[in-house]
């Protein structure tokens, strides 16, 4: 719409058709000022759009100075109309201003009454989508397809302002029919009108306003200044906010929740905006290249047929051009040959995409962010939106520094790297594997973590000390100690260890002690690679282990099923930890293990023997659950501290008629957890189990069946198959019969094969004795 001073360009956010229309309208209108819907604080950083290093997708980040957790984002892609308007203004040296409500109003406590969502983090669409209503009026059932046909797929005409006048007329009709704005919309529009008046007072005579199409009717008719001032008087006190540019991603643009924009196909929209001419053939060519790189057989003939099919589908469906739906249908039918897996690859890489924007160093940032950027450059760890694996060898200085950085960031809540399973399958402590994926919202977490320090190391040290002082669980503290060692935070370790020692001295819960021990012992293993001193840590680990050995048997008495399952997991972890802590258990102690750990494995074995003997003679509350007793026997058997004869005797006792079936089933579950191959190596154990199971009554069998199914479901597939075959062949407990021979051996025919077998095996053939004439 056009008048003597102001051109109102109503757009749909992140639409390539709207972006092209805005570019054409600005070139035709030639304004002397550009006003854009966006937070007013962004005026301080909009000049950075002139920098070549500011590459979309990017976003404006606003956060409260006193509370960085209160933050909001305004993302822009290359095909966003607002970004096109910004680029036009800076390229033509025109003043550009953001005219929406300042973000500081959205961070005020009073805003909690309006859904609790900060300014810029709320959709501009009405509860009833205006596009859906317009599409329905036009006879279309799909608003997205109708908008693509009407706007996105059409080039600007001779008069670039005509489409905006049509959209403004449609929105005015909707608002006249009662699809009115919310109170928040009224406040925003009042502020926008005030900014337009301010631009007029500044002497501008040709003003272009780029805003959401729904707001155009409210900005076209100006009420009195007093009216708008009365509305704005309702605003709460504004909170001081900082604004900067941060990198954004196409994948984040595709997410409708959180800080996304809800664009289903940002990669496709980017292709539409940046491609001259017919976009379909070029896009299908890119899809073919992607599929060929993934070892799918796609030829030029496939691309030609896919283009023809997409165009034919568009004609059959009455569309002016082939859209994304027709193009993906052609990809699925021709290029992917009906494969949903291949089609999903195209959707992920081309329809959405992994593009990550860039921001210049001149962009405002907290000192912590600048220190992180410096470390990323020095360690050659460039952030990327696409997930990638990183293997580290901690014996190398650079890899060790990378590991410390990633662990420190995790401590600060920035999950840029997540530990992953190594493809090398090494048990050494000098290897680490990470999965790296940079997310835009990490900028908020870094701003929030800036309260702890100005560098990554300083912030991590202070955060670790603060977390230790606020911790209430012993396992949380031991995990924090392990993190401090992994992150190389020697400055935080003494304070954390003091808190750990105080907490361990006061905690008498064996479950807490058992849950805390494994993390301490794992931390001891890092001494040889990371070169840290573990004197105090080793003493604390030995003390915890002794207390667990003493208190474990009585702590297991009277536990219910859920508590018993949790305790079994802790017993397994403690068993592995003591094997590392005591050289008598594994032959190699953890680095830094104190000398007073000698004999610890024997004391732990005594605790397991005591636990195995605590049978519920007077009821379940008088003894340890069968799950834990069976697990104790299995651990003793695996360590060679209990022979198979004794294990069989204990199994025979627990499966006798004197034991409750549910307790016996739990004992079997604990005994077989971790592997059932021993049932194959010792047929007597399998026979005992089969005899007990066949003798269980029908009613009791129904009760113990879930436990038994869970037990055998945890066994290896091959073990289950072999056990089933032996039970079906029966009888159990005796050696299997020798296989029948096929008849007498034909020695002449066998001797003839010896040279060939020797050649295959690479050995020298021996002459059969019969051939030498000697007696056999």
């Amino acid at each position: 719409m056009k008048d003597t001073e102001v051109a109102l360009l109503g757009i749909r956010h992140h639409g390539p058709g709207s972006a092209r229309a805005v570019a054409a309208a600005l070139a035709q209108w030639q304004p002397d000022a550009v006003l854009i819907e966006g937070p007013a604080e962004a005026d301080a950083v909009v000049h950075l759009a002139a920098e070549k290093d500011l590459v979309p997708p990017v976003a404006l980040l606003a956060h409260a100075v006193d509370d960085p957790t209160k933050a909001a984002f305004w993302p822009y892609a290359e095909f966003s109309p607002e970004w096109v308007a910004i680029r036009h203004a800076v390229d033509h040296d025109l003043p550009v201003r953001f005219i929406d409500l300042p973000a500081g109003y959205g961070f005020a406590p009073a805003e909690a009454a309006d859904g609790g969502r900060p300014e810029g983090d709320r959709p501009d669409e009405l509860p009833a989508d205006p596009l859906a209503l317009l599409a329905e009026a036009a006879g279309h059932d799909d608003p997205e397809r109708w908008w693509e046909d009407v706007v996105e797929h059409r080039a600007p005409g001779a008069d670039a302002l005509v489409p905006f006048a049509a959209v403004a007329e449609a929105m005015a009709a909707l608002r006249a029919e009662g699809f009115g704005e919310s109170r928040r919309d009224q406040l925003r529009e009042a502020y926008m009108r005030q900014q337009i008046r301010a631009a007029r007072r500044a002497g501008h005579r040709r003003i272009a306003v780029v805003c959401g199409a729904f707001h155009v009717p409210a900005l076209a008719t100006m009420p009195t200044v007093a009216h708008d001032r009365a509305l704005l008087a309702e605003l709460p006190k504004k909170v001081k906010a900082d604004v900067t540019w941060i990198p954004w991603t196409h994948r984040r643009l595709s997410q409708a929740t959180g800080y996304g924009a809800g664009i289903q196909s940002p990669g496709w929209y980017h292709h539409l905006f940046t491609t001259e001419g017919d976009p379909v053939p070029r896009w299908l060519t890119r899809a073919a290249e992607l599929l060929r790189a993934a070892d799918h057989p796609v030829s030029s003939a496939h691309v030609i047929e896919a283009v023809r099919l997409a165009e034919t589908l568009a004609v059959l469906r009455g569309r002016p051009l082939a859209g994304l739906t027709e193009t993906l249908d052609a990809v699925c039918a021709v290029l992917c040959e009906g494969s949903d897996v291949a089609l999903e690859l195209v959707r992920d890489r081309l329809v959405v995409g992994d593009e990550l924007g860039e921001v210049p160093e001149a962009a405002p940032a907290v000192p912590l962010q600048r220190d992180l950027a410096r470390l990323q450059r020095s360690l050659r760890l460039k952030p990327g939106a696409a997930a990638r694996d990183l293997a580290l060898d901690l014996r190398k200085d650079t890899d060790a520094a990378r590991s410390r950085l990633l662990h420190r960031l995790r401590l600060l809540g920035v999950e840029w790297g997540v530990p992953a399973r190594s493809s090398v399958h090494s048990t050494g402590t000098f290897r680490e594997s990470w999965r790296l994926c940079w997310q835009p919202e990490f900028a908020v977490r870094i701003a929030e973590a800036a309260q702890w320090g100005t560098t990554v190391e300083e912030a991590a040290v202070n955060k670790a000390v603060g977390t230790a002082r606020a911790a209430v669980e012993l396992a949380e503290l031991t995990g924090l100690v392990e993190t401090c060692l992994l992150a190389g935070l020697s400055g935080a370790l003494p304070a954390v260890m003091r808190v750990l020692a105080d907490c361990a001295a006061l905690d008498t819960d064996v479950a807490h002690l058992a849950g805390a021990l494994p993390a301490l012992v794992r931390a001891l293993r890092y001494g040889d690679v990371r070169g840290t001193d573990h004197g105090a840590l080793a003493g604390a680990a030995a003390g915890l282990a002794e207390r667990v050995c003493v208190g474990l048997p009585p702590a297991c008495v009277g536990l219910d099923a859920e508590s018993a399952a949790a305790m079994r997991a802790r017993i397994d972890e403690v068993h592995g930890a003591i094997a590392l802590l005591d050289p008598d258990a594994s032959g190699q102690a953890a680095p830094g293990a104190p000398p007073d750990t000698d004999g610890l494995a024997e004391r732990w074995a005594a605790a397991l023997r005591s636990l195995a003997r605590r049978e519920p003679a007077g009821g379940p509350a008088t003894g340890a659950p069968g799950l834990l007793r069976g697990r104790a026997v299995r651990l003793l058997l695996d360590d060679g501290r209990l022979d198979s004869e004794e294990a069989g005797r204990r199994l025979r006792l627990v499966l006798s008629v004197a034991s409750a079936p549910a307790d016996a089933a739990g004992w079997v579950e604990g005994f077989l957890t971790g592997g059932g191959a021993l049932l194959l190596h010792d047929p007597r154990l399998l026979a005992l189990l089969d005899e007990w199971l066949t003798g269980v009554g029908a009613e009791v069998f129904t009760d113990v069946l879930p436990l038994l199914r869970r037990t055998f479901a945890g066994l290896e597939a091959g073990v289950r198959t072999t056990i089933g075959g032996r039970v079906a062949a029966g009888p159990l407990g005796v050696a299997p019969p020798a296989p029948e021979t096929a008849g007498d051996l034909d020695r002449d025919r066998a001797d003839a094969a010896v040279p060939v077998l020797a050649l295959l095996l690479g050995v020298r053939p021996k002459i059969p004795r019969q051939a030498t004439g000697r007696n056999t």
Side-chain angles (χ1 to χ4, degrees):
M1 187 183 71
K2 175 181 177 182
D3 61 22
T4 57
E5 292 184 328
V6 179
L8 299 176
L9 307 181
I11 51 94
R12 188 187 189 193
H13 302 297
H14 310 296
S18 292
R20 284 194 299 268
V22 166
L26 292 176
Q28 175 181 324
W29 176 250
Q30 295 183 357
D32 58 3
V34 178
L35 307 183
I36 300 173
E37 177 186 339
E41 294 96 336
D43 288 347
V45 296
V46 69
H47 67 279
L48 294 174
E51 300 284 342
K52 295 181 179 180
D53 294 336
L54 187 62
V55 180
V58 292
L60 286 169
L61 163 63
H63 64 84
V65 174
D66 296 334
D67 186 3
T69 59
K70 296 180 179 180
F73 299 82
W74 287 261
Y76 301 116
E78 189 172 356
F79 50 82
S80 299
E82 298 93 334
W83 179 257
V84 171
I86 292 173
R87 290 299 314 172
H88 178 90
V90 297
D91 290 343
H92 293 80
D93 198 20
L94 300 177
V96 55
R97 298 288 183 267
F98 288 91
I99 61 172
D100 206 344
L101 276 175
Y105 288 119
F107 302 141
E111 281 293 306
D114 190 10
R117 300 171 61 184
E119 185 72 26
D121 191 22
R122 302 176 182 142
D124 287 330
E125 288 77 13
L126 291 171
D129 185 6
L131 293 184
L133 299 173
L134 293 175
E136 183 180 358
H140 292 260
D141 57 353
D142 189 339
E144 292 295 331
R145 182 179 300 180
W146 171 80
W147 181 262
E148 282 191 355
D149 292 345
V150 172
V151 177
E152 305 300 349
H153 291 167
R154 294 188 181 275
D159 188 350
L161 297 178
V162 170
F164 295 103
V167 171
E169 182 180 356
M171 291 300 170
L174 284 177
R175 296 183 71 148
E177 290 295 326
F179 298 99
E181 68 282 357
S182 64
R183 192 61 174 173
R184 174 176 168 273
D185 285 327
Q186 293 176 357
L187 293 173
R188 294 177 60 200
E189 290 163 355
Y191 192 88
M192 292 181 195
R193 290 191 293 265
Q194 291 285 64
Q195 298 307 304
I196 294 174
R197 295 186 183 104
R200 286 175 174 171
R201 290 194 301 270
H204 299 296
R205 291 295 175 259
R206 299 181 67 83
I207 304 171
V209 179
V210 180
C211 62
F214 181 74
H215 303 300
V216 169
L219 303 183
T221 303
M222 287 280 191
T224 63
V225 175
H227 174 272
D228 288 341
R229 287 178 177 174
L231 280 176
L232 296 176
E234 302 176 6
L235 290 172
K237 183 179 180 180
K238 183 171 64 174
V239 174
K240 185 178 180 181
D242 283 342
V243 177
T244 187
W245 292 102
I246 64 169
W248 207 251
T249 66
H250 277 179
R251 191 167 303 280
R252 184 62 65 186
L253 280 171
S254 68
Q255 299 179 2
T257 59
Y259 301 117
I263 308 170
Q264 298 178 358
S265 50
W268 168 257
Y269 275 7
H270 181 269
H271 179 77
L272 289 181
F273 183 73
T274 57
T275 302
E276 298 291 338
D278 190 353
V280 174
R282 296 189 182 183
W283 195 85
L284 288 172
T285 302
R286 293 176 57 199
E289 293 175 352
L290 174 64
L291 292 172
R292 279 197 293 266
D295 294 330
H296 291 277
V298 179
S299 66
S300 300
H302 286 85
V303 177
I304 295 173
E305 287 301 319
V307 172
R308 291 175 178 172
L309 178 57
E311 293 174 348
T312 303
L313 290 174
V315 173
L316 292 175
R317 295 170 181 175
R319 306 193 66 181
L321 290 173
L324 180 60
T325 303
E326 290 73 27
T327 306
L328 286 180
D329 288 345
V331 168
C332 181
V334 181
L335 303 186
C336 301
E337 297 180 346
S339 171
D340 291 335
V341 176
L343 180 62
E344 187 59 33
L345 175 65
V346 175
R347 288 183 183 275
D348 182 71
R349 300 288 294 278
L350 294 184
V351 177
V352 177
D354 289 315
E355 282 76 7
L356 175 65
E358 299 178 6
V359 298
E361 295 184 5
V366 295
L368 179 62
Q369 174 67 61
R370 297 193 182 280
D371 183 63
L372 174 59
R374 178 187 61 82
L375 292 172
Q376 289 171 335
R377 288 192 301 269
S378 63
L379 298 177
R380 298 186 296 279
L381 278 178
K382 184 177 181 180
R388 65 184 181 96
D389 293 326
L390 177 66
L392 300 178
D393 185 345
L394 302 182
R395 295 170 296 184
K396 301 178 181 178
D397 292 340
T398 300
D399 283 359
R402 290 172 174 174
S403 172
R404 290 192 294 270
L405 174 62
L406 294 174
H407 281 293
R408 289 170 182 177
L409 290 176
R410 293 193 75 207
L411 180 60
L412 295 173
V414 181
E415 299 279 345
W416 177 23
V418 177
R421 182 181 297 274
S422 173
S423 59
V424 182
H425 301 292
S426 172
T427 58
T429 59
F430 62 87
R431 292 188 182 275
E432 278 187 353
S433 294
W434 294 83
R435 186 78 168 171
L436 303 184
C437 184
W438 186 264
Q439 302 293 341
E441 58 266 27
F442 290 161
V444 175
R445 299 179 188 175
I446 293 172
E448 180 182 359
Q451 62 180 308
W452 298 106
T454 58
T455 66
V456 174
E457 181 177 4
E458 179 187 4
V461 168
N462 294 333
K463 176 68 178 297
V465 174
T467 302
R469 291 171 177 170
V472 294
E473 295 288 342
L474 187 59
E476 183 180 358
L477 285 169
T478 55
L480 183 60
V481 169
E482 182 181 14
T483 301
C484 288
L485 291 172
L486 292 171
L489 302 178
S490 57
L493 199 56
V496 176
M497 287 301 302
R498 285 194 297 270
V499 178
L500 172 64
D502 295 341
C503 185
L506 298 176
D507 199 332
T508 59
D509 192 325
V510 175
H512 291 172
L513 300 176
L517 178 63
L520 284 181
V521 177
R522 284 196 305 268
L524 286 172
R525 301 183 65 205
Y526 307 133
D528 53 346
V529 175
R530 301 177 187 270
T532 52
D533 182 14
H534 298 316
L537 184 61
L544 285 180
E546 292 289 352
R547 293 175 63 186
V548 170
C549 291
V550 173
L552 178 67
C556 294
V557 174
L559 296 180
D560 57 18
E562 183 178 355
S563 300
M567 183 61 78
R568 186 200 67 181
R570 292 191 176 97
I571 289 174
D572 287 344
E573 292 178 351
V574 170
H575 188 74
I578 289 180
L580 293 173
L581 197 60
D582 186 358
D584 294 338
S586 61
Q588 182 178 5
D596 55 355
T597 57
D598 293 343
L600 180 60
E602 188 59 42
R603 293 190 290 275
W604 171 247
L608 292 178
R609 293 190 187 97
S610 176
L611 173 60
R613 292 192 298 266
R614 290 183 178 264
E615 300 179 358
T622 61
L627 177 69
L628 302 182
R629 303 197 322 273
R631 192 60 189 155
V633 172
R634 175 61 184 272
L635 293 177
L636 292 170
L637 178 64
D638 289 345
D639 282 354
R641 299 180 183 275
L642 195 71
D643 56 27
S644 58
E645 292 285 344
E646 179 63 16
R649 185 186 72 83
R650 290 176 182 270
L651 178 62
R652 188 180 302 108
L653 289 176
V654 79
L655 297 182
S656 65
V657 294
S659 300
D663 184 74
W667 198 99
V668 171
E669 180 183 1
F671 185 70
L672 296 182
T673 297
L678 59 88
L679 294 179
L680 303 180
H681 299 314
D682 193 341
R684 293 171 301 172
L685 298 180
L686 181 59
L688 288 173
L689 184 60
D690 180 66
E691 181 183 357
W692 169 76
L693 189 57
T694 55
V696 172
E699 295 182 358
V700 177
F701 179 79
T702 303
D703 295 334
V704 301
L705 180 59
L707 291 175
L708 295 174
R709 291 191 63 178
R710 183 174 61 197
T711 300
F712 282 92
L715 302 181
E716 302 88 342
V719 172
R720 293 199 305 268
T721 302
T722 306
I723 290 177
R726 289 192 179 180
V727 171
L732 299 174
V734 297
E740 297 182 0
T741 60
D744 295 336
L745 178 65
D746 188 337
R747 293 187 177 275
D748 293 335
R749 297 180 64 186
D751 292 343
V754 170
V756 178
L757 291 175
L759 178 63
L760 293 175
L761 296 175
V763 298
R764 178 178 298 177
K766 294 182 179 180
I767 300 176
R769 293 184 177 181
Q770 291 85 344
T772 63
R774 291 177 291 182
N775 295 331
T776 58

